[in-house]
Amino acid sequence: MKKLPQDVVIFMLLKLPLKSLLRFKSVSKIWYTLILSETFFKLHLKCTTPKKDEFILFIRTLREDDPYKFTSIASFFSVDDKNNLTTLFPDVDVTHLTSTSCTIFNELIGPCHGLITLTDSDIIIVLNPGTRKYVVIPESPFDCPKGYYRYIEAVAFGFDSIINDYKIIKLSDVYWDPPTDDRGPRGSRVEIYNLSIDSWREHNIEFSSIYFTHCSEIYYKEAVHWFTIQHDLVILCFDISCEIFRTMELPSVCSDLNGPRYGLAVLNDCLVLMSYPDSMCSIGHTENVLNIWMMKEYGESESWIKIRTISPLPIPIESALVIWKDHLLLLQTQTGYLISYDLNSDEVKEYNLNGHHESLRAIKYTECLTAIPTLSEHSKQVQQL
């Protein structure tokens, strides 16, 4: 092997799964240095990963014996040709996201170069699901002025390709805190954390209040997307590199705030919008239909086209989670269980995976070598799940 040219060795290593690469670091000092080099990392990042090697991470909340105590569980899966889930690792108790209140806010953001952010709005974790390395991000040092309080609207995560750094963005509403039920006028606050320098800063920019629905935020095209209300419901985008907000309109028939719920996903490398029944609405206000629209040209609101209607839904659902391998629509039922709907065959499969009401979250990822930077000596260091 020592006689092989380095480019041949690199070509061979790039064909290996992540687990093999991590083992082969111990073959020799030369291989160790090569596999951890910036050049190899960039080549590995650019490799096209087959859909069959696309995995999924679930976060779900389970009630403990104490009715006021909840535990967050991380589950890692692949899927076979018959849409059966295969466990990659044992379930992990994510103690950092475990609280004495219902952790419905738990969100997954990403993936970005193989990294995913988990958050319950207070605690923020950056995780590489492939290596199961993670770090707890230090809290922002910025407090509200005396007489005010803040409500965290959303957390974002992504990569700034201009400065070659990962960023975490925390969006908050700030209210005057009078001794009455009137919250006073709303202000907004944007805080940005740069992972490479382990530092928070404030960004003086206004944004519209987030219209929160479960599983509605998504990282795509180096921007994070949510919903907001500006006369009608629209998509609010935050560009990670430029650090600006912009909006995109929804299909004209998708502005009803009193009817269905809406979610965002990616299908065939395009942004898609899903509308489905709101379980909190009476039957008379919500049809038992799930519609999927695709934005053919990103950023062009006129390019929305409806690509699928599922009617009637085979099982009452709570939320649409993600579209996996471009054909498996994953959903949480109103009883808390995970089901899949195959967009190719219309097959429905129920899995033995459940969580507390509205707590199930899912995100697809491919294994990647991306290392999480070691933070400053006073911050929490990279750990292993």
Side-chain angles (χ1 to χ4, degrees):
M1 293 295 290
K2 292 183 179 180
K3 296 180 180 180
L4 289 175
Q6 187 179 62
D7 57 344
V8 175
V9 174
I10 291 175
F11 179 80
M12 292 168 56
L13 292 175
L14 288 174
K15 299 294 183 180
L16 297 175
L18 183 61
K19 288 182 181 179
S20 298
L21 281 176
L22 296 177
R23 289 201 307 269
F24 287 172
K25 288 193 303 180
S26 59
V27 169
S28 67
K29 289 184 179 180
I30 294 176
W31 279 35
Y32 180 89
T33 303
L34 175 61
I35 292 171
L36 294 183
S37 69
E38 185 71 15
T39 299
F40 186 82
F41 167 71
K42 290 180 178 178
L43 290 172
H44 189 264
L45 198 61
K46 291 179 180 179
C47 288
T48 302
T49 305
K51 287 294 179 183
K52 67 180 181 66
D53 293 330
E54 189 176 74
F55 306 111
I56 202 150
L57 165 66
F58 291 101
I59 294 291
R60 52 203 172 102
T61 300
L62 301 176
R63 190 189 295 272
E64 298 186 0
D65 294 336
D66 182 342
Y68 299 102
K69 186 68 181 290
F70 296 84
T71 300
S72 294
I73 302 295
S75 303
F76 304 81
F77 291 99
S78 63
V79 70
D80 61 22
D81 294 337
K82 296 182 179 180
N83 297 341
N84 297 310
L85 294 181
T86 302
T87 302
L88 296 173
F89 310 111
D91 285 351
V92 177
D93 183 347
V94 189
T95 55
H96 296 287
L97 298 184
T98 296
S99 70
T100 54
S101 61
C102 185
T103 51
I104 295 302
F105 190 87
N106 283 357
E107 297 295 328
L108 298 173
I109 306 120
C112 177
H113 297 174
L115 300 182
I116 288 170
T117 291
L118 299 74
T119 181
D120 62 1
S121 78
D122 293 322
I123 304 299
I124 303 173
I125 297 171
V126 175
L127 165 74
N128 183 329
T131 63
R132 292 191 296 164
K133 298 281 188 179
Y134 76 95
V135 68
V136 181
I137 301 301
E139 294 183 8
S140 168
F142 303 111
D143 294 324
C144 278
K146 186 177 181 179
Y148 290 81
Y149 75 96
R150 68 176 177 180
Y151 173 78
I152 297 173
E153 288 271 0
V155 174
F157 170 70
F159 184 71
D160 184 335
S161 57
I162 296 177
I163 64 172
N164 195 36
D165 194 10
Y166 298 94
K167 294 177 180 177
I168 292 169
I169 298 90
K170 184 179 288 187
L171 309 182
S172 304
D173 285 344
V174 179
Y175 296 101
W176 175 43
D177 192 13
T180 67
D181 292 334
D182 183 8
R183 296 190 299 181
R186 171 192 177 268
S188 60
R189 168 180 286 185
V190 178
E191 297 159 274
I192 300 177
Y193 176 84
N194 288 76
L195 198 58
S196 65
I197 59 175
D198 184 24
S199 179
W200 285 95
R201 57 188 166 88
E202 289 187 294
H203 184 29
N204 186 23
I205 183 172
E206 297 288 326
F207 67 91
S208 304
S209 185
I210 303 296
Y211 182 79
F212 178 76
T213 61
H214 299 289
C215 308
S216 62
E217 64 185 356
I218 192 166
Y219 178 70
Y220 177 69
K221 297 286 187 182
E222 297 192 7
V224 182
H225 305 71
W226 306 271
F227 294 111
T228 189
I229 301 174
Q230 294 182 351
H231 302 296
D232 293 321
L233 191 66
V234 298
I235 296 173
L236 177 68
C237 315
F238 183 79
D239 187 294
I240 297 295
S241 295
C242 299
E243 297 184 356
I244 59 172
F245 288 100
R246 49 190 169 82
T247 59
M248 297 187 297
E249 294 181 0
L250 301 181
S252 58
V253 297
C254 295
S255 59
D256 185 4
L257 300 177
N258 298 314
R261 284 188 177 183
Y262 297 100
L264 296 171
V266 174
L267 174 63
N268 296 325
D269 295 322
C270 290
L271 185 68
V272 299
L273 170 73
M274 299 177 289
S275 69
Y276 55 93
D278 187 342
S279 61
M280 301 300 292
C281 287
S282 63
I283 297 176
H285 289 87
T286 306
E287 291 184 278
N288 188 27
V289 175
L290 188 148
N291 290 309
I292 302 176
W293 282 265
M294 176 181 287
M295 181 178 271
K296 298 293 289 183
E297 298 293 334
Y298 179 69
E300 300 294 332
S301 299
E302 298 79 11
S303 68
W304 286 112
I305 58 169
K306 185 187 289 189
I307 60 171
R308 191 65 189 269
T309 295
I310 303 172
S311 177
L313 285 168
I315 300 175
I317 68 167
E318 191 69 56
S319 56
L321 303 177
V322 71
I323 301 176
W324 191 14
K325 298 182 184 291
D326 285 344
H327 73 98
L328 274 187
L329 173 59
L330 300 183
L331 309 152
Q332 182 177 19
T333 68
Q334 290 183 14
T335 57
Y337 280 85
L338 173 72
I339 65 169
S340 67
Y341 184 95
D342 193 316
L343 297 174
N344 293 333
S345 66
D346 297 322
E347 178 189 7
V348 177
K349 184 180 287 287
E350 183 170 337
Y351 303 99
N352 187 27
L353 186 80
N354 68 302
H356 187 67
H357 174 69
E358 294 188 324
S359 74
L360 194 57
R361 302 289 184 269
I363 196 165
K364 55 189 179 182
Y365 70 94
T366 53
E367 293 186 323
C368 188
L369 275 171
T370 307
I372 301 172
T374 301
L375 306 185
S376 66
E377 58 179 329
H378 302 295
S379 301
K380 296 181 180 179
Q381 299 304 301
V382 176
Q383 302 175 62
Q384 180 83 40
L385 281 181

